[in-house]
């Protein structure tokens, strides 16, 4: 039986002490002031190798957790893919080391039979499909984008009934440039269409594609940063949100929002319901604050915006919102804050109507600066 106020929430994050930390909690509280709103069911701390091991993303189905990231077992970063029971027990794990450089699995999505993973391979990017039952490879595709000296990155991946949608950041290791979006067949990875464009229209600067959402039947919603006076109003970075047709990738509308006269304004995650988009990211107002938006799906018009900041006002690390999940009458927003002096996990449950906070859960596994909930590093498991 599904109980809306008894959601189970698996969360994961790696940090620079080389440990991958997997936490599974259960929400039993509706109190906005409650600091124990997520009750620990179990947690697991894993150190695979001498070096930094990274857990990047997780996805869930009715029985299992699927986790992707990297370890340094061969001496360099290699892809690591895991399937675990929801009590944390390992079912299978796969290490893939395609190059002597650092290779990382970054994002994962699942359907009834398969898992779909994208990440970096050397200086390029790679996407692949595997069977959920045992991890057997079905197909893969890798590419180094032309005319980009710095490494490419997979920014996001999503799926629908027949296709895989990939957001690619070419040259993302330094500055980010064009936005690239691909649609591929799930069964064999064949390319359907590809969009490759400069959102700044020649202004240059930092342009990072960050997120893609394929939940809607007919449309894609894409977000990231843009740059320049024409798009942003000032010569700096700003948010860019897009709606595109799924059938051919053509643009329906685009909106921009410039929360500050500084760089590093980025929307990191988009989720949706029948009427609205929910977008979360950062606003660099001389510091870093959470920015949360509600927009109409039909035209991108702003309905509601909120900011949240509890950390060190002038810290380089600041407070960042990285992921949002739409869930019945609520959104769950995850990221990090520095309210205790160093970065820590922060998960918030908010009302969709006015963004009022139902509860905030914070967790600080160590004194490391790199802790936080990243994009697609938590999920809702309510059944």
């Amino acid at each position: 039986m599904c109980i809306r106020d008894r959601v189970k929430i698996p969360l994961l994050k790696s940090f620079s002490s080389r440990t991958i930390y997997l936490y599974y909690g259960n929400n039993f509280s509706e109190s906005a002031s409650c600091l124990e709103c997520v009750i620990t069911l179990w947690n697991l701390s894993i150190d695979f190798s001498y070096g930094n091991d990274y857990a990047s993303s997780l996805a869930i189905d009715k029985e299992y957790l699927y986790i992707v990231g990297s370890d340094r077992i061969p001496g360099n970063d290699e892809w690591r893919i895991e399937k675990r029971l929801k009590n944390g027990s390992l079912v299978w794990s796969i290490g893939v080391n395609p190059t002597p450089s650092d290779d990382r699995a970054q994002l994962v999505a699942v359907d009834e039979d398969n898992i779909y993973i994208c990440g970096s391979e050397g200086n390029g990017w790679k996407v692949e499909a595997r069977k959920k039952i045992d991890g057997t490879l079905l197909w893969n595709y890798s590419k180094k984008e032309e005319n980009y000296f710095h490494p490419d990155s997979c920014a996001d991946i999503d799926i629908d009934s027949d296709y895989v949608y990939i957001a690619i950041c070419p040259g993302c290791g330094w500055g980010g440039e064009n936005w690239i979006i691909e649609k591929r067949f799930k069964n064999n990875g064949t390319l359907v269409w590809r969009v490759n464009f400069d959102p700044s229209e020649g202004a240059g600067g930092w342009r990072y594609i960050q997120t893609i959402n394929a939940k809607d039947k007919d449309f894609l919603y894409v977000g990231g940063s843009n740059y320049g006076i024409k798009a942003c109003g000032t010569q700096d970075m700003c948010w860019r949100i897009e709606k595109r047709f799924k059938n051919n990738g053509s643009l329906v509308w685009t909106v921009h929002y410039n929360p500050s006269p500084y760089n590093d304004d980025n929307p990191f995650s988009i989720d949706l319901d029948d009427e609205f988009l929910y977008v979360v990211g950062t606003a660099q107002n001389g510091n870093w604050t959470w920015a949360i938006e509600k927009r109409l799906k039909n035209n991108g018009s702003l309905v509601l915006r909120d900011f949240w900041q509890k950390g060190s006002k002038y810290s380089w690390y600041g407070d960042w919102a990285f992921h949002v999940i739409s869930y019945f009458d609520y959104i769950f927003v995850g990221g990090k804050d520095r309210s205790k002096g160093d970065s820590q996990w922060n998960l918030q449950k908010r009302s969709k109507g006015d963004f009022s906070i139902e509860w905030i859960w914070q967790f600080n596994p160590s004194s490391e600066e790199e802790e936080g909930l990243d994009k697609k590093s938590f999920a809702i498991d309510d059944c």
Side-chain angles (χ1 to χ4, degrees):
M1 179 179 180
C2 299
I3 307 174
R4 295 187 191 182
D5 62 348
R6 299 289 190 270
V7 293
K8 296 183 178 69
I9 306 172
L11 316 97
L12 84 157
K13 177 57 185 171
S14 59
F15 41 92
S16 61
S17 61
R18 306 192 310 273
T19 303
I20 291 175
Y21 194 95
L22 180 61
Y23 185 103
Y24 204 89
N26 204 9
N27 161 34
F28 289 100
S29 175
E30 296 298 321
S31 169
S33 62
C34 175
L35 298 180
E36 298 294 335
C37 295
V38 179
I39 298 172
T40 304
L41 298 181
W42 55 262
N43 60 65
L44 181 66
S45 182
I46 313 163
D47 189 356
F48 298 112
S49 61
Y50 184 77
N52 290 334
D53 303 321
Y54 292 93
S56 300
S57 174
L58 67 76
I60 60 174
D61 59 20
K62 290 181 179 180
E63 297 182 75
Y64 301 100
L65 305 171
Y66 303 88
I67 303 166
V68 303
S70 63
D71 63 49
R72 291 188 63 84
I73 292 173
N76 61 299
D77 285 351
E78 68 169 352
W79 282 36
R80 184 177 182 89
I81 307 160
E82 291 188 348
K83 177 180 180 178
R84 290 181 178 270
L85 291 171
K86 289 186 179 177
N87 64 10
S89 299
L90 184 67
V91 179
W92 54 255
S93 67
I94 295 172
V96 182
N97 192 22
T99 77
S101 301
D102 289 334
D103 311 311
R104 292 180 181 175
Q106 294 167 306
L107 283 308
V108 61
V110 299
D111 62 17
E112 185 176 348
D113 299 310
N114 303 318
I115 59 175
Y116 305 87
I117 309 154
C118 68
S120 64
E121 182 180 86
N123 283 331
W125 62 272
K126 182 171 112 174
V127 60
E128 66 180 34
R130 292 179 176 269
K131 290 184 178 180
K132 283 165 60 173
I133 190 169
D134 58 6
T136 299
L137 181 67
L138 297 173
W139 57 262
N140 63 21
Y141 175 81
S142 60
K143 180 180 177 65
K144 175 67 184 92
E145 298 295 336
E146 297 178 1
N147 303 319
Y148 296 96
F149 173 77
H150 295 284
D152 305 329
S153 176
C154 175
D156 207 356
I157 188 171
D158 206 359
I159 58 175
D160 59 21
S161 59
D162 297 306
Y163 301 100
V164 181
Y165 303 88
I166 313 157
I168 302 150
C169 183
C172 214
W174 186 261
E177 299 194 31
N178 280 19
W179 285 23
I180 299 176
I181 307 165
E182 290 193 352
K183 176 180 179 179
R184 292 180 175 270
F185 282 104
K186 286 168 68 175
N187 62 345
N188 59 17
T190 301
L191 183 67
V192 180
W193 54 253
R194 173 180 165 100
V195 175
N196 183 346
F197 72 103
D198 177 4
S200 76
E201 300 181 43
W206 296 275
R207 296 96 71 196
Y208 296 98
I209 190 169
Q210 296 283 5
T211 182
I212 191 166
N213 190 298
K215 279 186 179 179
D216 192 278
K217 179 178 179 293
D218 299 311
F219 300 101
L220 289 175
Y221 296 91
V222 187
S225 63
N226 203 353
Y227 188 89
I229 292 174
K230 185 173 183 179
C232 306
T234 57
Q235 196 68 18
D236 68 309
M237 289 169 65
C238 63
W239 290 24
R240 177 185 172 97
I241 311 297
E242 296 183 348
K243 179 178 182 178
R244 291 181 175 271
F245 284 105
K246 277 187 171 181
N247 63 344
N248 59 15
S250 60
L251 186 67
V252 180
W253 54 252
T254 183
V255 295
H256 287 85
Y257 164 56
N258 194 356
S260 78
Y262 302 95
N263 290 321
D264 288 333
D265 297 326
N266 267 291
F268 289 111
S269 178
I270 296 173
D271 206 359
L272 52 91
D273 56 25
D274 291 340
E275 295 183 73
F276 302 104
L277 302 178
Y278 303 92
V279 189
V280 303
T282 56
Q284 213 279 71
N285 295 306
N287 51 57
W288 278 264
T289 67
W290 290 33
I292 306 170
E293 290 190 343
K294 178 180 181 179
R295 292 181 176 271
L296 290 173
K297 286 170 62 177
N298 64 345
N299 60 15
S301 296
L302 182 68
V303 178
L304 183 65
R305 180 181 291 135
D306 192 28
F307 298 96
W308 187 90
Q309 198 262 346
K310 292 290 184 182
S312 174
K313 185 176 181 181
Y314 298 104
S315 164
W316 171 260
Y317 295 94
D319 299 336
W320 298 63
F322 284 118
H323 192 50
V324 60
I325 295 176
S326 167
Y327 182 79
F328 293 101
D329 298 326
Y330 301 97
I331 58 171
F332 288 82
V333 185
K336 66 179 182 177
D337 74 69
R338 286 180 50 84
S339 59
K340 294 185 178 179
D342 64 304
S343 294
Q344 65 177 351
W345 300 16
N346 187 305
L347 179 67
Q348 301 183 3
K349 180 181 180 181
R350 290 174 173 254
S351 167
K352 284 184 175 180
D354 59 4
F355 285 167
S356 58
I357 296 174
E358 298 287 320
W359 50 253
I360 298 175
W361 178 74
Q362 295 164 304
F363 179 56
N364 197 356
S366 81
S367 60
E368 299 288 343
E369 283 291 357
E370 296 181 14
E371 293 166 7
L373 294 173
D374 282 339
K375 182 165 53 183
K376 293 187 177 176
S377 66
F378 67 95
I380 303 296
D381 178 17
D382 64 337
C383 297

